Amino acid sequence: MSNLYNTYKRAIQPGSRAIDIADLQRIFDALPGIFLVVANDADYTMVAASDERLRATMTQREDVIGRPLFEVFNGGESFNPPGVSLLRASLAEVARTGRPQEMKTVGYPLRRPQGDSYENRYWDVVNVPVLDEQGRVCFIIHQAEDVTDSLLEQESAALRLRESDERLNAALLASGTGTFYWDLRNNRLDMDLPMQRLVGLEGLTSGWLDDLLDTIHPDDRDSITQQCERCARYGDDFEMQFRVRLPGGNERWIFDKGQTFTDANGRPSYMVGACLDITQHKRTERALHRLNETLEQRVNAEVAARAKTEAALRQSQKMEAVGQLTGGLAHDFNNLLAGVIGSLELLSLRLQQGRTNDLQRYIRSALTSATRATALTHRLLAFSRRQTLDPSPTEVNALIEGMMELLQRTIGPMVSYSTRLCDDLWLTLCDTNQLENALLNLTINARDAMPDGGQLTLVSENLWLDGPLAQELGLQTGEYVALGVQDTGVGIPPEKLGYVFDPFFTTKPLGEGTGLGLSMVYGFAKQSGGGVRIESTVGEGTHVWIYLPRHHGQSASEHAPAAADLAPASVEGRTVLVVDDEPNVRALVMEVLQEMGLNTLEAADGHSGLRILDSDVHLDLLISDIGLPGGMNGRQLADATREKRPAMHVLFITGYAESSVLQRSTAMYDYEVLTKPFTITDLEEKVRGMLEPEQGKPRAC
C-alpha cells in the first residue's frame, strides 16, 4: 500500500493539479485483486474501482463511480445485515483514527444487476486510509479477497472427515474391537465406545485406570495391576487375557494388547492399544475340554464334533484377525493423523506469533507422519491386490546381494544364512520395491519358524514352466525366473497348507500375526504376471517359491548413461497439461512445474483436457490422474492424446489403479506412473526424465 499512499500524497499537495479520477483508475487497473477507493464523506462516494472488483460484483464503472458505496452494492440504509454493519463500522473507524483496519471472513451480500436478488459472500477485507499533508483522511482504499469458495471447501472436507470417522466407529462396533489411550503420567484412561461396551463402562469416555480395574475379575486383578505398574515404570508393552464383570452379573473374556511410547527423554509417556472380545473363543475351549474328558467313551462322536469345532475356531481366528486389523488401523492412523494435525497446528500458531526459528521441525514431523501413512496404505493395497506397480527390468541376484546386510540383521545370530544363486539368471520385469518387500516378508516368516535357530537359504534359478505345475499355478507355459526362500523350521501341517495364502489366516499364536504377509506376497506375484508355490514338511522346514516371467531386454543399468556423461539440460519453456479433479493436487503439481520453469495448463476432468488437446496450443507432456469424473478416465484421455499428438509423453499420477486400466502395451504408447502421495523431488525427477529422455532412464513401454 506504500506506493499507493505516495501517489495520493503527491496528488493532494498544495499547488498541484486537482486529483484526476482517471489517474486513480489507471493505478488500480494495474493492480491485481479487488480494490475500491471511496471518499471520506458521509456517503463513502466511490471514486475508483479495479476491473476485478467490477467483474466480481457484475457492475459497470459508469454505474458506480460517483455514487454512495452502500447504495450501489448493498441496497441502501433499509438493507443492513450484520456484515454490512461491520463494514460501515470499519470504514468509520479508519476515517476517525487514520489507521488501517483488517477484517477476516466477513459475510455480506452483493445485489446482482438483475432484479433485487442477493448473493451472500464471505471476504477478507483491509481498509487503508490515504492522508493529506495535514494528516487528515481524504480517501479510503478498500481491498477485499473473496474466500467463500475456500470456506465451503473446508466445510466439505470437515464433513467428509466426520463421515469417515463415523464409518470407522461403525466398523469397530461391528467387529467387537475397542481401542484405548492411557496417559501413564496422569493415570488417565480414554476409551472409545466399543471399548466402553466391552468392559461395561458405557458412557465413561474418560476416567482413571482404577475405573477399569474395578470391573476386572478379582482372580485376574493382581496380575493386571502388576503388569500395568511395569508399563508405567519401565515402558513395557501390555498383552494379557482377563475377565471383566458386567453390570448385569455376566462375565466377558477380553484379549488386550497395548504398545507404550516414550517422551523425548526416554521416559514412558502413554500407551495405545486395542481390546477384543474372546468370550466365544474361551467357551469353545471349555467345550473342547469337556469333550476331551469323555473322549474314551465317545471317540466316534468326537471325530465329527472336533472337525466342526476346529472349523469354527478357524472362522473365529479370521474374525479376530479382522478385529486386530481394524483396531490396528484405527490406532496407526489416529497416531499418524495426530502427528500431522498437531504439527500443522503448531506451525500455524508459531506463524501467528511471528516465531519462525523452528518451523522446519514441525514441517519434518508432519512429513514423517504422512510418509508413514503412505507406507501403511501401500501395505493394504498390496494385501487387496490393488496396488499400482511400477515394473522395470530387474536383476534378482543383484537385488538379493543388495539386501544381504538387511536380511542378516533381520534373521538374527541364531539363524545361519546362505545363498544358492544361478550365475546366468535371466532378467524379469517387476516392481523392485515390491519384490524387496516380498523377500523381506518371507525371510521374517522363515525366522519366526526357527525360534531355536536353523538354516535359511535363498535360491534363484531359470525355469521353463509347463505341464501340471503351470496349471497348478494358473500360469502360461514359458520362461520364468524363480526366487526361493528355504528354512529348516517347524514346518506347516498338511491340513493348514492349503490356507496359507488366504487373507487373515496365520499359523502364529493369537496376537503375533495378522495373516496378511503371504497374502501380500501372493498379490504382488499375481499382479506381476507370476505366481507363488509353497512346500512344507512338519519338523523339516518350508520352501516358498516366487515365479516371475522372464524379461527379454536389457537391464536398467545397461540403459542408463554414466553419471559423468550426464549434462543437466534445461526444461524451461516446455508446456505441460495437468488433468486432475482434486484442486489441491492440481495446484501443487502446477506450482512445482512452474518452479522448474515450465509453462502449465490445467483441466479438472477428461473432457476439459480433451478440449485443450483439440486446440493448436503446443504441448510437451500430459500429466493425468487415472480416476477422473465425467465419463472419461485418464487412460481414455491418454488414448485420445496418442491419436491427436502421437509424439506426446504421458505421466499418470494415481493412488491405485485396476490392471485393466493401467495395462502396459507397446502397441499403444509409452507412459510413466507416479503413485500418490509423492514428494516434490519424485515429481521433478520424473518430469525431467520424460522431457529429457536422451539423458534420463529409458521410458517403460
Side-chain angles (χ1 to χ4, degrees):
M1 289 297 181
S2 59
N3 292 335
L4 289 174
Y5 175 82
N6 293 332
T7 302
Y8 281 113
K9 186 174 181 180
R10 288 195 301 271
I12 60 175
Q13 286 180 349
S16 67
R17 61 185 176 87
I19 298 175
D20 189 338
I21 299 301
D23 288 343
L24 296 179
Q25 188 59 59
R26 280 191 291 271
I27 293 172
F28 285 97
D29 285 343
L31 293 175
I34 297 176
F35 287 91
L36 187 68
V37 181
V38 298
N40 183 17
D41 55 21
D43 294 328
Y44 299 114
T45 303
M46 290 182 287
V47 299
S50 67
D51 287 341
E52 189 167 340
R53 171 75 186 204
L54 297 172
R55 284 193 299 271
T57 55
M58 300 177 65
T59 53
Q60 301 293 324
R61 181 170 284 107
E62 58 270 19
D63 295 333
V64 300
I65 300 302
R67 295 180 61 191
L69 171 63
F70 295 104
E71 176 184 313
V72 172
F73 291 115
N74 298 104
E77 296 293 338
S78 62
F79 185 71
N80 195 30
V84 175
S85 300
L86 290 174
L87 180 58
R88 287 179 182 273
S90 176
L91 293 172
E93 184 69 9
V94 173
R96 185 181 68 83
T97 64
R99 292 194 296 269
Q101 287 279 317
E102 182 176 359
M103 300 185 294
K104 292 290 187 181
T105 58
V106 178
Y108 61 86
L110 292 178
R111 183 171 63 180
R112 294 307 187 185
Q114 298 81 10
D116 294 328
S117 63
Y118 290 85
E119 179 185 1
N120 200 47
R121 306 292 291 181
Y122 291 89
W123 312 80
D124 285 349
V125 175
V126 179
N127 293 318
V128 181
V130 178
L131 310 179
D132 61 17
E133 289 186 334
Q134 286 75 39
R136 295 171 301 188
V137 178
C138 57
F139 298 105
I140 299 175
I141 302 173
H142 170 78
Q143 180 182 2
E145 180 183 358
D146 190 342
V147 296
T148 307
D149 294 339
S150 176
L151 289 175
L152 292 176
E153 185 175 326
Q154 292 176 13
E155 292 176 358
S156 176
L159 176 61
R160 292 196 299 271
L161 182 60
R162 184 167 64 252
E163 291 175 347
S164 176
D165 188 56
E166 291 172 352
R167 288 194 297 270
L168 178 58
N169 285 333
L172 291 173
L173 285 170
S175 68
T177 303
T179 63
F180 65 87
Y181 175 94
W182 176 22
D183 185 344
L184 297 174
R185 294 179 179 175
N186 300 313
N187 214 24
R188 294 287 297 178
L189 186 67
D190 294 330
M191 299 176 286
D192 62 6
L193 179 58
M195 173 76 173
Q196 299 168 42
R197 291 181 177 177
L198 282 177
V199 299
L201 292 174
E202 191 166 354
L204 185 66
T205 58
S206 180
W208 305 103
L209 178 63
D210 291 342
D211 296 327
L212 175 61
L213 292 175
D214 289 342
T215 70
I216 295 176
H217 194 285
D219 294 345
D220 300 335
R221 195 171 299 162
D222 288 344
S223 59
I224 294 290
T225 302
Q226 292 172 9
Q227 185 155 348
C228 287
E229 290 176 352
R230 288 196 299 271
C231 294
R233 180 175 299 179
Y234 304 112
D236 292 351
D237 290 340
F238 188 96
E239 182 174 335
M240 286 195 71
Q241 298 180 16
F242 55 87
R243 291 162 290 177
V244 294
R245 287 183 166 178
L246 303 178
N250 295 327
E251 291 184 358
R252 177 176 288 151
W253 274 96
I254 302 293
F255 173 73
D256 189 348
K257 185 171 184 178
Q259 183 176 359
T260 302
F261 296 85
T262 58
D263 59 17
N265 298 318
R267 295 190 298 264
S269 177
Y270 64 93
M271 174 187 287
V272 291
C275 292
L276 182 67
D277 183 356
I278 59 170
T279 305
Q280 186 60 44
H281 181 74
K282 287 294 183 180
R283 290 173 180 170
T284 304
E285 284 184 345
R286 288 197 297 269
L288 285 173
H289 180 69
R290 287 193 297 268
L291 288 172
N292 288 333
E293 289 178 348
T294 59
L295 182 61
E296 292 181 359
Q297 295 85 16
R298 303 175 57 189
V299 173
N300 295 332
E302 172 64 13
V303 172
R306 187 179 183 88
K308 182 177 180 180
T309 303
E310 287 181 348
L313 278 174
R314 282 197 298 270
Q315 182 64 24
S316 175
Q317 288 173 344
K318 290 183 180 180
M319 295 308 298
E320 288 168 3
V322 172
Q324 289 176 340
L325 177 63
T326 55
L329 286 177
H331 159 238
D332 288 345
F333 273 114
N334 282 338
N335 281 343
L336 297 173
L337 289 174
V340 174
I341 294 172
S343 298
L344 294 178
E345 287 180 342
L346 286 172
L347 183 62
S348 176
L349 179 62
R350 294 295 180 263
L351 287 173
Q352 293 176 14
Q353 296 170 342
R355 295 166 57 185
T356 60
N357 293 335
D358 57 351
L359 297 186
Q360 282 296 331
R361 178 160 58 93
Y362 303 118
I363 295 173
R364 285 194 299 270
S365 177
L367 286 173
T368 298
S369 295
T371 301
R372 290 174 56 199
T374 300
L376 182 59
T377 57
H378 283 176
R379 288 180 57 200
L380 292 174
L381 288 174
F383 151 69
S384 63
R385 301 161 198 172
R386 299 168 75 93
Q387 63 186 333
T388 301
L389 300 180
D390 188 14
S392 62
T394 302
E395 300 177 33
V396 174
N397 284 353
L399 181 142
I400 294 173
E401 292 168 0
M403 293 183 64
M404 191 170 298
E405 182 179 353
L406 171 63
L407 297 178
Q408 288 176 327
R409 288 200 308 268
T410 300
I411 61 178
M414 297 183 63
V415 177
S416 300
Y417 176 91
S418 65
T419 60
R420 193 166 68 248
L421 308 179
C422 175
D423 291 335
D424 56 344
L425 192 67
W426 297 328
L427 289 176
T428 183
L429 187 67
C430 70
D431 188 315
T432 304
N433 292 331
Q434 296 301 325
L435 181 56
E436 289 176 345
N437 290 338
L439 180 56
L440 184 60
N441 233 323
L442 295 178
T443 302
I444 293 173
N445 282 352
R447 177 202 64 190
D448 294 344
M450 299 182 287
D452 299 324
Q455 175 71 34
L456 173 69
T457 305
L458 299 184
V459 183
S460 69
E461 64 182 42
N462 299 325
L463 183 68
W464 174 265
L465 198 62
D466 61 2
L469 183 56
Q471 186 176 3
E472 174 189 341
L473 296 171
L475 299 178
Q476 298 290 329
T477 299
E479 296 174 323
Y480 289 81
V481 174
L483 170 61
V485 179
Q486 186 173 9
D487 66 64
T488 58
V490 296
I492 303 172
E495 65 271 18
K496 295 184 178 181
L497 201 58
Y499 300 97
V500 294
F501 296 120
D502 289 354
F504 308 120
F505 181 85
T506 177
T507 59
K508 297 178 182 178
L510 183 64
E512 295 184 15
T514 62
L516 297 179
L518 284 177
S519 180
M520 293 177 183
V521 174
Y522 182 86
F524 156 71
K526 282 296 184 182
Q527 277 193 274
S528 303
V532 182
R533 183 168 62 94
I534 185 168
E535 302 171 340
S536 186
T537 303
V538 174
E540 295 182 11
T542 302
H543 199 162
V544 182
W545 287 98
I546 299 177
Y547 300 98
L548 299 171
R550 178 185 182 181
H551 173 65
H552 294 274
Q554 293 179 303
S555 67
S557 60
E558 292 172 332
H559 277 290
D565 298 332
L566 291 178
S570 174
V571 297
E572 293 182 358
R574 305 285 187 91
T575 303
V576 181
L577 171 60
V578 181
V579 184
D580 199 304
D581 61 315
E582 179 57 46
N584 290 337
V585 175
R586 193 169 66 247
L588 171 65
V589 172
M590 293 183 63
E591 186 167 349
V592 172
L593 298 177
Q594 290 164 5
E595 286 290 327
M596 296 173 64
L598 295 164
N599 302 318
T600 59
L601 297 172
E602 65 174 314
D605 56 56
H607 293 290
S608 300
L610 194 58
R611 284 194 292 271
I612 296 176
L613 290 166
D614 285 333
S615 69
D616 57 357
V617 64
H618 173 76
L619 294 172
D620 298 290
L621 174 64
L622 168 65
I623 298 179
S624 175
D625 193 4
I626 297 297
L628 295 175
M632 174 179 285
N633 62 37
R635 178 58 187 265
Q636 292 167 334
L637 176 62
D639 290 342
T641 300
R642 185 60 173 175
E643 293 178 3
K644 299 173 184 298
R645 302 174 183 245
M648 189 167 165
H649 305 279
V650 177
L651 171 61
F652 289 122
I653 52 176
T654 178
Y656 79 87
E658 298 286 352
S659 59
S660 60
V661 178
L662 260 186
Q663 184 178 5
R664 294 181 181 270
S665 171
T666 55
M668 292 299 295
Y669 50 82
D670 297 344
Y671 66 83
E672 294 282 351
V673 179
L674 194 59
T675 304
K676 297 177 183 176
F678 47 80
T679 66
I680 291 176
T681 301
D682 291 339
L683 177 59
E684 289 178 340
E685 291 179 353
K686 186 70 75 172
V687 170
R688 194 176 299 277
M690 296 184 73
L691 292 179
E692 304 166 0
E694 69 282 357
Q695 297 205 23
K697 297 179 180 179
R699 290 180 285 126
C701 297

